[in-house]
Amino acid sequence: MTVALGRTIAGFVGQWPRWSGYAAGGWALIGIAPALCWAAGRETGSPLRDVPGGRAAAGLIACCLLTGGIAAAASMVRRTPRRWVLVGLWTCCALAAAGTFSFVMNGLQLVFTGTVDDWPAFGVEVFCAVGAALFAGAALAFQRRTADTCPRCGLAHAGRDTGRIPAPPVPAPRAVRLIAYAGSMAFVPYIVMKTTWALGGTFAGVPADEVVAEFERNGASGLILTLERYGLDFTTLSALVGIVLLLGLTHRWGQVFPRRVPLLAGRRVPRWLPLTPAWLGALTLAPYGVIGAIFYLLPPVVGLGDLPDDGIMTGWSGWTVAACGIGAFGPYGIALGVAAWSYQHQTRPKCDTQA
């Protein structure tokens, strides 16, 4: 029963070019309702509640979603203006992706604490992640269909599709691997800082006991505090997992499970397994790091803003602490996006056709 259900689900997902346009259109219509509520002044779940002009922006989002929903429905009809439909689909995809801004941060908080600060906002981020995937699928299917290539594999071939041929496992191009190494190294100062505190030391003039006290004031869970007492910081563990993900996207062992993995050795890694967290991480961390560097780190350096003044984040010590985190997230997020794009291209299977 379970196997049959799994095959049914896999078969349905495998036919995504046939239904992604309709699903994206339905998602857009559902998304219009909360956008209109935010435009009317409701703040529950709104990612724009602290943004100047947020109500006007919410109204604009509702209009974009309506346009995107129409474009998604039109993408299922072959004889439609190709350029404008693609612009509408990719614009809505980017808009939905922007709504996932804090998804990874909240996801990590949920894993380690069992809760998030704002459940409605987290629900909106999950909803936006689904929408970004649906609109990307609809755009790709329409783009390939109107270019007379196969909607599933993107290649031109004749005959009936009878299955999928996996791509041979090969490492990413050298340039992509170098970018991945650079993105991984960007986390070194952050890991050193967090590990120093977890071991009871002082970093940038901030002692470990002040960090633990800050955790307690912010309502950190018992698990996080226990890890700190044993010299393990949960964000350091997350960073290490992120580095493994980034390197896996660029090496053969990220496409085929290595021999040291019990029960799975030699099997293909499902593409969605690394690509889902990779794209979510890239869409969250890259903008977070770049925006933070421009509007938080840079102004005090060039004399256009004040140094931070909030708890342990005070003066140049607080700035240094922030720089270790923000300075890691930007380069890592960009590298993750590059590696995910390369992995997606390298591992794209071909259709097994029969004339």
Side-chain angles (χ1 to χ4, degrees), residues 230-245:
Y230 284 94
L232 296 173
D233 181 87
F234 79 100
T235 56
T236 298
L237 298 177
S238 303
L240 293 175
V241 172
I243 291 173
V244 171
L245 170 63

Side-chain angles (χ1 to χ4, degrees), residues 24-99:
W27 179 93
L29 293 178
I30 294 172
I32 289 174
L36 290 176
C37 289
W38 299 333
R42 294 287 297 271
E43 295 186 349
T44 303
S46 173
L48 304 169
R49 58 179 175 267
D50 297 324
V51 177
R55 292 179 61 178
L60 181 59
I61 289 174
C63 293
C64 291
L65 290 178
L66 177 60
T67 304
I70 295 173
S75 72
M76 303 307 293
V77 181
R78 187 180 181 87
R79 294 182 179 179
T80 51
R82 186 173 191 267
R83 179 180 300 177
W84 294 112
V85 170
L86 285 176
V87 168
L89 292 174
W90 284 118
T91 299
C92 249
C93 178
L95 186 65

Side-chain angles (χ1 to χ4, degrees), residues 108 111-112 184 187 191 233-249 253 277-278 332 336:
L108 291 174
V111 169
F112 285 99
S184 300
F187 259 126
I191 292 174
D233 181 87
F234 79 100
T235 56
T236 298
L237 298 177
S238 303
L240 293 175
V241 172
I243 291 173
V244 171
L245 170 63
L246 178 55
L247 296 180
L249 290 168
W253 54 266
Y332 174 81
L336 194 60

Side-chain angles (χ1 to χ4, degrees), residues 32 45 57 79 118 142 225 237 303 306 318 322 351:
I32 289 174
R79 294 182 179 179
D118 190 334
F142 179 75
L225 296 175
L237 298 177
D306 297 326
C351 292

Side-chain angles (χ1 to χ4, degrees), residues 106-116 223:
N106 285 325
L108 291 174
Q109 183 184 6
L110 179 62
V111 169
F112 285 99
T113 69
T115 187
V116 295
L223 174 61

